[in-house]
Amino acid sequence: RVCFSKASTAEYESIKVGEKVGKSWETIWIRCHIEIPDDWEGKEVHFIFDFGGEVLIYDINGRPLQGLNGQTGEDRRTDFCISKSANVKEIDLYLELACNELFGNCKDWECGPSVAVKIYKS
């Protein structure tokens, strides 16, 4: 597992929405640079991200901000409130992606053997 101090100084490649990012049980880091449009000033702004696994969002100083869970059902959480009243033009976040579901990689939420290889996408 790569810790935040190494992830924050690593070289990153661009990825596109829907691109494969990892297989079952891998941990992947994504660095996000978000630009907030001028006409959103004063409005509530949310970052929405769902790749099907678990995510921990960090600020640029390595402080954990919130976890996300891209599953189905009442445990699903895919948005993070950047600002209740946008007064910033840009923000940088680091995402630690765990390529597993909330309770592992089981098939259709049934207990039993995990899915051998499941591909996760951004």
Side-chain angles (χ1 to χ4, degrees), residues 6-8 11 17 19 27 34 51 54 58 62 64 71 76-77 84 97 101-103 113:
K6 288 187 179 182
S8 65
E11 293 291 322
V17 173
E19 188 172 330
T27 299
I34 301 164
F51 87 111
E54 295 181 283
Y58 293 84
Q71 307 307 310
R76 182 179 170 86
R77 185 174 193 173
K84 292 282 187 187
L97 283 57
E101 296 181 13
L102 188 57
F103 298 107

PDB file of all heavy atoms in Angstrom, residues 6-8 11 17 19 27 34 51 54 58 62 64 71 76-77 84 97 101-103 113:
ATOM      1  N   LYS A   6       3.984   9.445  -0.196  1.00  0.00           N
ATOM      2  CA  LYS A   6       4.525   9.001  -1.487  1.00  0.00           C
ATOM      3  C   LYS A   6       3.566   9.339  -2.625  1.00  0.00           C
ATOM      4  O   LYS A   6       3.977   9.751  -3.702  1.00  0.00           O
ATOM      5  CB  LYS A   6       4.822   7.503  -1.461  1.00  0.00           C
ATOM      6  CG  LYS A   6       6.026   7.161  -0.628  1.00  0.00           C
ATOM      7  CD  LYS A   6       6.402   5.717  -0.754  1.00  0.00           C
ATOM      8  CE  LYS A   6       7.642   5.461   0.101  1.00  0.00           C
ATOM      9  NZ  LYS A   6       8.080   4.084  -0.017  1.00  0.00           N
ATOM     10  N   ALA A   7       2.273   9.165  -2.386  1.00  0.00           N
ATOM     11  CA  ALA A   7       1.279   9.450  -3.426  1.00  0.00           C
ATOM     12  C   ALA A   7       1.276  10.930  -3.804  1.00  0.00           C
ATOM     13  O   ALA A   7       1.099  11.278  -4.969  1.00  0.00           O
ATOM     14  CB  ALA A   7      -0.111   9.030  -2.960  1.00  0.00           C
ATOM     15  N   SER A   8       1.493  11.800  -2.832  1.00  0.00           N
ATOM     16  CA  SER A   8       1.426  13.241  -3.105  1.00  0.00           C
ATOM     17  C   SER A   8       2.628  13.757  -3.889  1.00  0.00           C
ATOM     18  O   SER A   8       2.571  14.856  -4.445  1.00  0.00           O
ATOM     19  CB  SER A   8       1.273  14.026  -1.806  1.00  0.00           C
ATOM     20  OG  SER A   8       2.428  13.875  -1.003  1.00  0.00           O
ATOM     21  N   GLU A  11       4.418  10.938  -9.795  1.00  0.00           N
ATOM     22  CA  GLU A  11       4.035  11.411 -11.129  1.00  0.00           C
ATOM     23  C   GLU A  11       2.699  10.750 -11.486  1.00  0.00           C
ATOM     24  O   GLU A  11       2.505   9.565 -11.237  1.00  0.00           O
ATOM     25  CB  GLU A  11       5.097  11.019 -12.160  1.00  0.00           C
ATOM     26  CG  GLU A  11       6.422  11.730 -11.972  1.00  0.00           C
ATOM     27  CD  GLU A  11       6.338  13.215 -12.287  1.00  0.00           C
ATOM     28  OE1 GLU A  11       5.622  13.583 -13.243  1.00  0.00           O
ATOM     29  OE2 GLU A  11       6.974  13.997 -11.564  1.00  0.00           O
ATOM     30  N   VAL A  17     -12.891   9.384 -18.002  1.00  0.00           N
ATOM     31  CA  VAL A  17     -14.049   8.739 -17.390  1.00  0.00           C
ATOM     32  C   VAL A  17     -14.304   7.412 -18.093  1.00  0.00           C
ATOM     33  O   VAL A  17     -14.294   7.327 -19.316  1.00  0.00           O
ATOM     34  CB  VAL A  17     -15.297   9.646 -17.482  1.00  0.00           C
ATOM     35  CG1 VAL A  17     -16.537   8.916 -16.995  1.00  0.00           C
ATOM     36  CG2 VAL A  17     -15.082  10.925 -16.686  1.00  0.00           C
ATOM     37  N   GLU A  19     -12.335   4.785 -17.927  1.00  0.00           N
ATOM     38  CA  GLU A  19     -11.077   4.059 -18.154  1.00  0.00           C
ATOM     39  C   GLU A  19     -10.822   3.066 -17.020  1.00  0.00           C
ATOM     40  O   GLU A  19     -11.119   3.335 -15.859  1.00  0.00           O
ATOM     41  CB  GLU A  19      -9.933   5.072 -18.225  1.00  0.00           C
ATOM     42  CG  GLU A  19      -8.618   4.495 -18.651  1.00  0.00           C
ATOM     43  CD  GLU A  19      -7.579   5.579 -18.890  1.00  0.00           C
ATOM     44  OE1 GLU A  19      -7.944   6.695 -19.277  1.00  0.00           O
ATOM     45  OE2 GLU A  19      -6.405   5.284 -18.665  1.00  0.00           O
ATOM     46  N   THR A  27      -5.032  -0.999  -4.794  1.00  0.00           N
ATOM     47  CA  THR A  27      -5.228   0.360  -4.308  1.00  0.00           C
ATOM     48  C   THR A  27      -4.613   1.303  -5.327  1.00  0.00           C
ATOM     49  O   THR A  27      -3.468   1.114  -5.737  1.00  0.00           O
ATOM     50  CB  THR A  27      -4.565   0.567  -2.927  1.00  0.00           C
ATOM     51  OG1 THR A  27      -5.160  -0.336  -1.994  1.00  0.00           O
ATOM     52  CG2 THR A  27      -4.748   1.987  -2.442  1.00  0.00           C
ATOM     53  N   ILE A  34      -9.550  20.506  -9.626  1.00  0.00           N
ATOM     54  CA  ILE A  34     -10.913  20.906  -9.952  1.00  0.00           C
ATOM     55  C   ILE A  34     -10.964  22.419 -10.087  1.00  0.00           C
ATOM     56  O   ILE A  34     -10.572  23.142  -9.162  1.00  0.00           O
ATOM     57  CB  ILE A  34     -11.891  20.434  -8.859  1.00  0.00           C
ATOM     58  CG1 ILE A  34     -11.815  18.902  -8.727  1.00  0.00           C
ATOM     59  CG2 ILE A  34     -13.305  20.907  -9.152  1.00  0.00           C
ATOM     60  CD1 ILE A  34     -12.427  18.357  -7.471  1.00  0.00           C
ATOM     61  N   PHE A  51     -16.659   4.928  -8.823  1.00  0.00           N
ATOM     62  CA  PHE A  51     -15.979   3.957  -9.677  1.00  0.00           C
ATOM     63  C   PHE A  51     -16.351   2.530  -9.291  1.00  0.00           C
ATOM     64  O   PHE A  51     -15.814   1.575  -9.823  1.00  0.00           O
ATOM     65  CB  PHE A  51     -14.454   4.196  -9.667  1.00  0.00           C
ATOM     66  CG  PHE A  51     -13.723   3.498  -8.562  1.00  0.00           C
ATOM     67  CD1 PHE A  51     -12.867   2.438  -8.849  1.00  0.00           C
ATOM     68  CD2 PHE A  51     -13.875   3.887  -7.247  1.00  0.00           C
ATOM     69  CE1 PHE A  51     -12.184   1.779  -7.831  1.00  0.00           C
ATOM     70  CE2 PHE A  51     -13.200   3.246  -6.232  1.00  0.00           C
ATOM     71  CZ  PHE A  51     -12.356   2.188  -6.521  1.00  0.00           C
ATOM     72  N   GLU A  54     -14.486   1.605  -3.007  1.00  0.00           N
ATOM     73  CA  GLU A  54     -14.403   2.552  -1.895  1.00  0.00           C
ATOM     74  C   GLU A  54     -13.335   3.604  -2.173  1.00  0.00           C
ATOM     75  O   GLU A  54     -12.323   3.317  -2.805  1.00  0.00           O
ATOM     76  CB  GLU A  54     -14.062   1.799  -0.609  1.00  0.00           C
ATOM     77  CG  GLU A  54     -15.153   0.834  -0.180  1.00  0.00           C
ATOM     78  CD  GLU A  54     -14.798   0.137   1.106  1.00  0.00           C
ATOM     79  OE1 GLU A  54     -13.967  -0.796   1.058  1.00  0.00           O
ATOM     80  OE2 GLU A  54     -15.329   0.543   2.149  1.00  0.00           O
ATOM     81  N   TYR A  58      -8.612  12.963   0.294  1.00  0.00           N
ATOM     82  CA  TYR A  58      -7.651  13.702   1.115  1.00  0.00           C
ATOM     83  C   TYR A  58      -7.487  15.112   0.564  1.00  0.00           C
ATOM     84  O   TYR A  58      -7.566  15.325  -0.642  1.00  0.00           O
ATOM     85  CB  TYR A  58      -6.262  13.050   1.035  1.00  0.00           C
ATOM     86  CG  TYR A  58      -6.147  11.686   1.653  1.00  0.00           C
ATOM     87  CD1 TYR A  58      -6.497  10.544   0.938  1.00  0.00           C
ATOM     88  CD2 TYR A  58      -5.648  11.524   2.939  1.00  0.00           C
ATOM     89  CE1 TYR A  58      -6.357   9.283   1.494  1.00  0.00           C
ATOM     90  CE2 TYR A  58      -5.509  10.267   3.498  1.00  0.00           C
ATOM     91  CZ  TYR A  58      -5.870   9.146   2.775  1.00  0.00           C
ATOM     92  OH  TYR A  58      -5.732   7.911   3.318  1.00  0.00           O
ATOM     93  N   GLY A  62      -2.802  15.967   3.177  1.00  0.00           N
ATOM     94  CA  GLY A  62      -2.905  14.585   3.631  1.00  0.00           C
ATOM     95  C   GLY A  62      -3.973  14.356   4.677  1.00  0.00           C
ATOM     96  O   GLY A  62      -4.038  13.294   5.283  1.00  0.00           O
ATOM     97  N   PRO A  64      -7.513  13.349   5.789  1.00  0.00           N
ATOM     98  CA  PRO A  64      -8.689  12.665   5.243  1.00  0.00           C
ATOM     99  C   PRO A  64      -9.924  13.552   5.407  1.00  0.00           C
ATOM    100  O   PRO A  64     -10.151  14.118   6.476  1.00  0.00           O
ATOM    101  CB  PRO A  64      -8.819  11.410   6.100  1.00  0.00           C
ATOM    102  CG  PRO A  64      -7.498  11.234   6.758  1.00  0.00           C
ATOM    103  CD  PRO A  64      -6.920  12.610   6.904  1.00  0.00           C
ATOM    104  N   GLN A  71     -21.451   1.831  -4.180  1.00  0.00           N
ATOM    105  CA  GLN A  71     -22.261   0.621  -4.291  1.00  0.00           C
ATOM    106  C   GLN A  71     -23.704   0.997  -4.572  1.00  0.00           C
ATOM    107  O   GLN A  71     -24.036   2.152  -4.778  1.00  0.00           O
ATOM    108  CB  GLN A  71     -22.165  -0.189  -2.994  1.00  0.00           C
ATOM    109  CG  GLN A  71     -20.766  -0.481  -2.547  1.00  0.00           C
ATOM    110  CD  GLN A  71     -19.914  -1.121  -3.630  1.00  0.00           C
ATOM    111  OE1 GLN A  71     -20.318  -2.087  -4.236  1.00  0.00           O
ATOM    112  NE2 GLN A  71     -18.744  -0.578  -3.872  1.00  0.00           N
ATOM    113  N   ARG A  76     -24.828   3.593  -0.336  1.00  0.00           N
ATOM    114  CA  ARG A  76     -24.186   4.321  -1.432  1.00  0.00           C
ATOM    115  C   ARG A  76     -23.928   5.773  -1.024  1.00  0.00           C
ATOM    116  O   ARG A  76     -24.800   6.461  -0.517  1.00  0.00           O
ATOM    117  CB  ARG A  76     -25.086   4.268  -2.656  1.00  0.00           C
ATOM    118  CG  ARG A  76     -24.532   4.936  -3.867  1.00  0.00           C
ATOM    119  CD  ARG A  76     -25.553   4.776  -5.007  1.00  0.00           C
ATOM    120  NE  ARG A  76     -25.217   5.575  -6.137  1.00  0.00           N
ATOM    121  CZ  ARG A  76     -24.399   5.196  -7.108  1.00  0.00           C
ATOM    122  NH1 ARG A  76     -23.845   4.008  -7.061  1.00  0.00           N
ATOM    123  NH2 ARG A  76     -24.137   5.983  -8.114  1.00  0.00           N
ATOM    124  N   ARG A  77     -22.709   6.229  -1.265  1.00  0.00           N
ATOM    125  CA  ARG A  77     -22.340   7.626  -1.020  1.00  0.00           C
ATOM    126  C   ARG A  77     -21.320   8.015  -2.071  1.00  0.00           C
ATOM    127  O   ARG A  77     -20.196   7.513  -2.059  1.00  0.00           O
ATOM    128  CB  ARG A  77     -21.761   7.782   0.378  1.00  0.00           C
ATOM    129  CG  ARG A  77     -21.480   9.224   0.707  1.00  0.00           C
ATOM    130  CD  ARG A  77     -21.044   9.381   2.136  1.00  0.00           C
ATOM    131  NE  ARG A  77     -21.072  10.778   2.502  1.00  0.00           N
ATOM    132  CZ  ARG A  77     -20.876  11.220   3.706  1.00  0.00           C
ATOM    133  NH1 ARG A  77     -20.664  10.377   4.685  1.00  0.00           N
ATOM    134  NH2 ARG A  77     -20.901  12.501   3.953  1.00  0.00           N
ATOM    135  N   LYS A  84     -20.189  24.937   0.700  1.00  0.00           N
ATOM    136  CA  LYS A  84     -21.601  25.305   0.812  1.00  0.00           C
ATOM    137  C   LYS A  84     -21.878  26.602   0.063  1.00  0.00           C
ATOM    138  O   LYS A  84     -22.983  26.861  -0.367  1.00  0.00           O
ATOM    139  CB  LYS A  84     -21.999  25.467   2.281  1.00  0.00           C
ATOM    140  CG  LYS A  84     -21.997  24.174   3.064  1.00  0.00           C
ATOM    141  CD  LYS A  84     -23.232  23.388   2.766  1.00  0.00           C
ATOM    142  CE  LYS A  84     -23.321  22.181   3.678  1.00  0.00           C
ATOM    143  NZ  LYS A  84     -24.402  21.308   3.317  1.00  0.00           N
ATOM    144  N   LEU A  97      -8.240   5.012  -3.980  1.00  0.00           N
ATOM    145  CA  LEU A  97      -9.276   4.092  -4.436  1.00  0.00           C
ATOM    146  C   LEU A  97      -8.944   2.675  -4.000  1.00  0.00           C
ATOM    147  O   LEU A  97      -7.842   2.183  -4.269  1.00  0.00           O
ATOM    148  CB  LEU A  97      -9.371   4.102  -5.964  1.00  0.00           C
ATOM    149  CG  LEU A  97     -10.074   5.260  -6.653  1.00  0.00           C
ATOM    150  CD1 LEU A  97      -9.491   6.596  -6.307  1.00  0.00           C
ATOM    151  CD2 LEU A  97     -10.090   5.041  -8.140  1.00  0.00           C
ATOM    152  N   GLU A 101     -15.508  -3.846  -2.918  1.00  0.00           N
ATOM    153  CA  GLU A 101     -16.794  -3.329  -2.476  1.00  0.00           C
ATOM    154  C   GLU A 101     -16.788  -3.203  -0.964  1.00  0.00           C
ATOM    155  O   GLU A 101     -15.806  -3.557  -0.299  1.00  0.00           O
ATOM    156  CB  GLU A 101     -17.905  -4.238  -2.987  1.00  0.00           C
ATOM    157  CG  GLU A 101     -17.963  -4.244  -4.511  1.00  0.00           C
ATOM    158  CD  GLU A 101     -19.069  -5.107  -5.064  1.00  0.00           C
ATOM    159  OE1 GLU A 101     -19.959  -5.530  -4.297  1.00  0.00           O
ATOM    160  OE2 GLU A 101     -19.046  -5.354  -6.283  1.00  0.00           O
ATOM    161  N   LEU A 102     -17.876  -2.711  -0.427  1.00  0.00           N
ATOM    162  CA  LEU A 102     -17.953  -2.434   1.007  1.00  0.00           C
ATOM    163  C   LEU A 102     -17.582  -3.633   1.873  1.00  0.00           C
ATOM    164  O   LEU A 102     -16.900  -3.493   2.873  1.00  0.00           O
ATOM    165  CB  LEU A 102     -19.371  -1.944   1.339  1.00  0.00           C
ATOM    166  CG  LEU A 102     -19.604  -1.415   2.740  1.00  0.00           C
ATOM    167  CD1 LEU A 102     -18.661  -0.259   3.057  1.00  0.00           C
ATOM    168  CD2 LEU A 102     -21.047  -0.972   2.893  1.00  0.00           C
ATOM    169  N   PHE A 103     -17.991  -4.824   1.456  1.00  0.00           N
ATOM    170  CA  PHE A 103     -17.686  -6.019   2.236  1.00  0.00           C
ATOM    171  C   PHE A 103     -16.865  -7.021   1.439  1.00  0.00           C
ATOM    172  O   PHE A 103     -17.039  -8.221   1.543  1.00  0.00           O
ATOM    173  CB  PHE A 103     -18.981  -6.666   2.759  1.00  0.00           C
ATOM    174  CG  PHE A 103     -19.741  -5.776   3.678  1.00  0.00           C
ATOM    175  CD1 PHE A 103     -20.915  -5.172   3.266  1.00  0.00           C
ATOM    176  CD2 PHE A 103     -19.267  -5.503   4.941  1.00  0.00           C
ATOM    177  CE1 PHE A 103     -21.616  -4.332   4.107  1.00  0.00           C
ATOM    178  CE2 PHE A 103     -19.957  -4.652   5.793  1.00  0.00           C
ATOM    179  CZ  PHE A 103     -21.125  -4.070   5.373  1.00  0.00           C
ATOM    180  N   PRO A 113     -17.260 -17.155  -1.616  1.00  0.00           N
ATOM    181  CA  PRO A 113     -15.993 -16.797  -2.238  1.00  0.00           C
ATOM    182  C   PRO A 113     -16.096 -15.460  -2.974  1.00  0.00           C
ATOM    183  O   PRO A 113     -17.137 -15.137  -3.551  1.00  0.00           O
ATOM    184  CB  PRO A 113     -15.737 -17.931  -3.235  1.00  0.00           C
ATOM    185  CG  PRO A 113     -16.678 -19.004  -2.868  1.00  0.00           C
ATOM    186  CD  PRO A 113     -17.811 -18.383  -2.129  1.00  0.00           C
TER     187      PRO A 113
END
